[in-house]
Amino acid sequence: MRILPRAFRPFEASVPAPRRSPESPRGAHELGTTRLSVPVGLHTGLGCDAVGVPARFGFKILSRLPAKGCVYADSDWWWWLVPAGSDHDVTWPLPACYARGAEIPDRGPRLIHHPDGTSPYTPPIPLYLLVCQLTGIAPSWSAPPVSTTL
């Protein structure tokens, strides 16, 4: 095989091969999952799911919510605990992510907001409406058929 001088090599040959960062031994495609842990003393009788949004929306949502439960964050995402089934008949708009069982990608999330009371939950309807507003998506959910007996 003949080796050409650098100036004559095709473009593809000069592109470096992807490599792993020494700080993160696993690549993005190899991320595991973790379940968000609820602090001791908070009651989870309704089960736990989580709603995640990209970090750029985190402070805006946190500052506008009237009631806040547990909020977790890593460098890329913020996660709110909501009661299980908070996705029933609701389509959470992209880029939001709904995680059943509060099982999320393991990027080392930390608890950044502890609720004042004994409930770990953020009310899902105000959270949903804020996410819709910030993403520019109109709220949409299914409604049961209405009938009358008149």
Side-chain angles (χ1 to χ4, degrees):
M1 179 171 111
R2 184 173 163 222
I3 297 178
L4 296 174
R6 184 171 184 88
F8 297 105
R9 290 183 198 167
F11 176 74
E12 295 77 32
S14 64
V15 176
R19 49 189 178 142
R20 293 183 185 169
S21 166
E23 291 81 36
S24 61
R26 295 182 289 176
H29 64 283
E30 297 174 9
L31 273 178
T33 60
T34 188
R35 189 174 307 268
L36 296 173
S37 60
V38 179
V40 175
L42 299 181
H43 304 289
T44 59
L46 300 175
C48 281
D49 287 349
V51 174
V53 297
R56 68 180 180 271
F57 296 119
F59 283 115
K60 290 177 185 176
I61 292 173
L62 190 62
S63 66
R64 295 176 184 174
L65 280 172
K68 304 161 193 73
C70 292
V71 181
Y72 302 81
D74 57 48
S75 60
D76 299 320
W77 287 82
W78 285 38
W79 297 92
W80 279 260
L81 284 185
V82 293
S86 294
D87 63 338
H88 184 68
D89 291 335
V90 172
T91 302
W92 288 85
L94 292 174
C97 178
Y98 192 87
R100 289 186 180 92
E103 191 169 326
I104 65 168
D106 189 3
R107 293 184 185 102
R110 294 177 297 129
L111 181 68
I112 62 167
H113 182 269
H114 190 288
D116 295 330
T118 60
S119 173
Y121 306 119
T122 294
I125 294 174
L127 178 60
Y128 173 74
L129 294 173
L130 271 172
V131 170
C132 287
Q133 181 184 29
L134 290 173
T135 59
I137 306 292
S140 172
W141 53 78
S142 306
V146 178
S147 60
T148 181
T149 58
L150 295 178

